[in-house]
Structures are given as C-alpha cells and as structure tokens.
Amino acid sequence: MSSVVIKGLYKKYENGTVAVSNFNADISPKEFFVILGPSGCGKSTLIRMIAGLEDITKGGIFIDGTPIQTIPPKNRGVALVLNNQTLYPNMTVYENLEFGLKLRKVPKNEIASRIDEVAQLLEIGPILDRKPAALSGGQRCRIAFGRAIIQNPKVILMDEPLANFDAKLRATIRSELKAVHAQLGKTVIYLTKDQAEAAELGSRILVMRNGTVQQTGTYEELYNSPVNLFVAKFIGEPQMNICEAELFTKDNRLWLRFGEGFTVALPEKASTPHLMRYSGKRVLMGIRPSDISLGFEGGDKDGSAISMTAESVELLGTHVTLNLVSRAVSLVVISSSATKVKSEEEVKIILNTEKLHLFDGDTERRIN
Ligand code: ADP
C-alpha cells in the first residue's frame, strides 16, 4: 500500500538517446497504474529506473515520500516481473518461489507460510511440486507473479508480462490478474502496448510517447477527451477517423469544411469564443467509427448527413465495419444496422457532431 511519485524524471543514455524526459506521475497506494505506449517510447527505461537497474540522469522517484535513488535496488521494496522471465528449469515451482527468500535468509517456517499464502491466492497449490517444463504458459506466468508477490514488496512493477501469449490466454490471465490485485491490494505499475489490457486493468492509464507523458486518466477520459492527436489515435479500436478540415463561420455558428465539398455544422454550444478564434484555420477533425450512424430521414439542414460509397464491408459477429470513400475523404464506420450494405453501394451517414474531436492543425493539441 505505497504511493509512488515521479518528478521531472529524465534519462539520457551514454550514446545520447534521451529515453525519458520531464516525466511526472503521482501513483496512489493500491492503484493498478498502467503505462501505455508504443515500442521504444521509454517504458522499460522508466521501470528500470524505479527498480534501480538504471541510473537516473535527473529528477526524482519517491516511494511513500522517500527518495529512492540512493537506496540499493534490493532494499527499495520493489519487485519486477518481466515478459520473458524464465523460471529455473531444474527447480520445482516450490523451489522457484522460495529461492529469493532463501537468498535473503528468511527463516524456513516463514518461507513455508508465505508460499502457502501465495499458493492459495494464485491457486497453484496442486502444481507446487512440478518443474517448469510441465507447466502451461499461463501457469508459468502465475508463478512469475508469485515470485514477485512472495517478497512482500511495496510496489510491483510489471513489464509487458503477457506480451508473449496469444490473445485468448492474455484475456484469461488479465482477468485473473485483476482478481488477484483486488485481493492483494498492492500498488502495481504495469507496462503495456496493448490498450485492451490497459482498459481492463488500469484504474488510471498514462499514455507515453517519445519518453514523455501525453495524458493520464481513466480509459473513459482518454477515450472521450484525448488531449492531442496522438492519444486520440492511440486509444480506441478501430482507430478514430481523422481528416483535414477548415473551420468557418456562417450565421454566427461554426462549420467544418472537409474533403471535396463536404460541410457540417457544429452544435450551437460548440461555437465557443475559444473555438471561434480558429475560424478560417486548418484543423484536424476526428470522429470515432462508432460515432457515425447510418441512414437519415428528413432534412439535412446542418449537413451532418452525408452520402458516401462503401469501398469495403466486413462483417464481424453482429457488427459491420464499413470503409467509406468519397470526394477525398475516407471514413471507417462500425454499425450493427449495416449488415445488408454491399460493397460499392452508396450509403448515407450522420456524423454525431456532439462527439467531434478537433485538433489544432499545427500543434495537434485538442481545441474543443
Ligand atoms: P520501451 O520499453 O517503451 O520499448 P525502452 O525504454 O526500451 O522503450 O527504450 C526507449 C529508448 O531508449 C529507445 O530508443 C531505445 O532504443 C533506447 N535505449 C534503451 N536501452 C538503451 C541503452 N541501454 N542504451 C542506449 N539506448 C537505449
């Protein structure tokens, strides 16, 4: 139950690579905190600095208010779980679990009771006398997690622990991990590239890019109000549709012009003085595939209903993904009511203008 605060953290490797820059995070006790970002964005470097495996160039890391830079790694109270963590092949599960504790000279009876506790928590009692070769991938992952928990750390650091598993196993272990965390109540910092993992596990998610924090929030906050184009594109599956557009004013209201001659009015309340300043400017317009609906009846006075050609139609379960292309615009739409749409067919769509995301064309920061 420990807090972790990271202030102005910076890491420059000897070869000049800046892997982490001006990084700040404030992680609460018991939180399952996910750091989400593409490969190479600095996640491992960050976690290795917390674990003490990498020096800090600048800034500070505090556990329960105490700076940890000068504390040797083994005394920091952090345990690290990696994705390629190999168990000792010649040892049983029991011996793998006790190994670290024996090194620390923990008394034998305490080792036994801790293993007993962890075995119950992770439901691995029946496999304690097996060797790793006789375990499934999921079981091995559980033992790797067990080896971290058993040290009774203040903070558990997990570096893409499920990266090597197939989608089905990942989903199973994810929900197990969630249940174990709820029982255990430890602070967890979890790294991943996978937004589905982040969404399911993270009480909050920090989106990282090029060593910097882009946004921290719940999945819903990141999904509904991404602060910039990177977060908008990184969160949500399929990806948010983005197209270049121009804002203009007509009858005291803001409109968007995009593609070859499409126009759409923004909701009246969106015409704020702040946004009005962008009138006449190039912006980036974002709309999620699920915020576009099919078909319209009656008038089209604000232009939110437009006609486009279905370039391809993919049916997945009860939903259809349409790729629409017309007049220099291409949009992906997900709908449950389009199962009869055929490729090359003309479809009418309505953009839910309440759900439009607008970004500055130059800075790519959110403006609405
Ligand atoms: P991630 O975990 O998000 O994939 P990393 O922290 O591994 O990212 O890497 C961040 C950046 O730092 C990358 O550009 C990587 O090439 C670089 N990097 C990682 N380790 C070293 C190192 N030991 N020396 C130099 N550059 C490194």
Side-chain angles (χ1 to χ4, degrees):
M1 286 209 287
S2 293
S3 66
V4 180
V5 173
I6 302 172
K7 279 192 194 156
L9 199 65
Y10 186 86
K11 172 71 186 182
K12 189 176 187 176
Y13 283 110
E14 275 177 14
N15 67 0
T17 304
V18 176
V20 173
S21 177
N22 190 25
F23 191 100
N24 296 288
D26 197 337
I27 302 159
S28 309
K30 291 195 195 180
E31 190 166 9
F32 202 116
F33 191 81
V34 173
I35 298 179
L36 174 68
S39 197
C41 75
K43 302 183 294 298
S44 301
T45 302
L46 175 81
I47 218 167
R48 288 169 59 80
M49 286 193 280
I50 302 174
L53 305 175
E54 205 67 71
D55 289 337
I56 292 171
T57 310
K58 215 164 67 186
I61 302 172
F62 305 81
I63 295 183
D64 292 331
T66 306
I68 58 167
Q69 287 91 300
T70 51
I71 302 175
K74 67 176 175 22
N75 298 337
R76 290 186 181 192
V78 301
L80 182 58
V81 182
L82 304 170
N83 65 22
N84 54 359
Q85 197 146 34
T86 43
L87 303 171
Y88 301 109
N90 299 326
M91 295 184 190
T92 62
V93 168
Y94 191 98
E95 289 161 344
N96 265 284
L97 289 171
E98 76 176 346
F99 187 73
L101 301 179
K102 268 176 144 177
L103 282 185
R104 283 159 194 250
K105 305 208 167 22
V106 175
K108 225 177 163 53
N109 56 348
E110 193 184 330
I111 292 182
S113 77
R114 281 209 217 171
I115 291 184
D116 200 36
E117 233 174 85
V118 167
Q120 275 192 34
L121 181 72
L122 297 175
E123 297 173 7
I124 52 172
I127 55 169
L128 283 176
D129 55 1
R130 286 205 204 155
K131 295 265 176 70
L135 300 176
S136 69
Q139 286 169 329
R140 257 177 255 158
C141 180
R142 234 176 281 174
I143 310 306
F145 191 43
R147 279 205 308 205
I149 296 174
I150 209 157
Q151 297 167 42
N152 200 13
K154 292 181 184 161
V155 181
I156 300 176
L157 309 174
M158 305 183 88
D159 191 348
E160 304 196 39
L162 311 185
N164 298 337
F165 299 132
D166 63 43
K168 206 168 155 201
L169 188 55
R170 278 208 303 272
T172 313
I173 304 179
R174 226 156 59 199
S175 44
E176 285 179 12
L177 200 56
K178 198 172 172 177
V180 170
H181 174 256
Q183 275 191 57
L184 199 63
K186 287 263 179 215
T187 311
V188 173
I189 303 178
Y190 186 100
L191 310 186
T192 185
K193 297 193 270 284
D194 180 345
Q195 59 166 306
E197 264 177 36
E200 179 166 350
L201 293 170
S203 52
R204 281 186 306 151
I205 301 164
L206 180 153
V207 180
M208 191 171 178
R209 177 199 194 190
N210 292 342
T212 62
V213 179
Q214 301 291 296
Q215 187 171 4
T216 306
T218 62
Y219 187 80
E220 287 70 27
E221 284 164 352
L222 302 176
Y223 185 87
N224 293 325
S225 313
V227 295
N228 61 26
L229 187 68
F230 178 80
V231 178
K233 285 165 77 170
F234 201 68
I235 299 284
E237 180 65 41
Q239 198 173 298
M240 184 188 284
N241 294 294
I242 304 287
C243 58
E244 295 206 358
E246 188 196 340
L247 271 172
F248 67 97
T249 313
K250 194 170 88 183
D251 305 331
N252 269 334
R253 201 167 157 185
L254 278 170
W255 288 65
L256 280 165
R257 183 183 291 125
F258 58 100
E260 288 166 2
F262 289 116
T263 54
V264 57
L266 296 187
E268 257 167 80
K269 64 175 194 297
S271 299
T272 58
H274 168 71
L275 204 55
M276 283 287 195
R277 283 205 293 272
Y278 285 86
S279 184
K281 295 216 169 102
R282 188 182 79 84
V283 297
L284 295 163
M285 167 185 123
I287 185 148
R288 298 213 178 267
S290 50
D291 292 331
I292 301 175
S293 47
L294 284 175
F296 67 94
E297 287 170 6
D300 173 25
K301 56 186 185 320
D302 59 6
S304 58
I306 58 181
S307 214
M308 292 186 76
T309 308
E311 196 182 61
S312 67
V313 183
E314 293 157 33
L315 178 64
L316 187 68
T318 55
H319 281 73
V320 168
T321 304
L322 299 176
N323 291 295
L324 307 177
V325 182
S326 282
R327 299 183 346 212
V329 172
S330 78
L331 292 175
V332 173
V333 177
I334 310 179
S335 166
S336 55
S337 62
T339 46
K340 294 203 172 65
V341 175
K342 300 260 179 321
S343 197
E344 304 303 325
E345 203 175 299
E346 192 81 357
V347 290
K348 283 160 184 165
I349 56 167
I350 302 174
L351 308 183
N352 181 351
T353 52
E354 302 271 341
K355 297 281 182 71
L356 278 174
H357 305 260
L358 300 175
F359 305 96
D360 185 300
D362 298 322
T363 65
E364 299 186 350
R365 300 206 132 266
R366 185 188 191 84
I367 54 172
N368 69 327

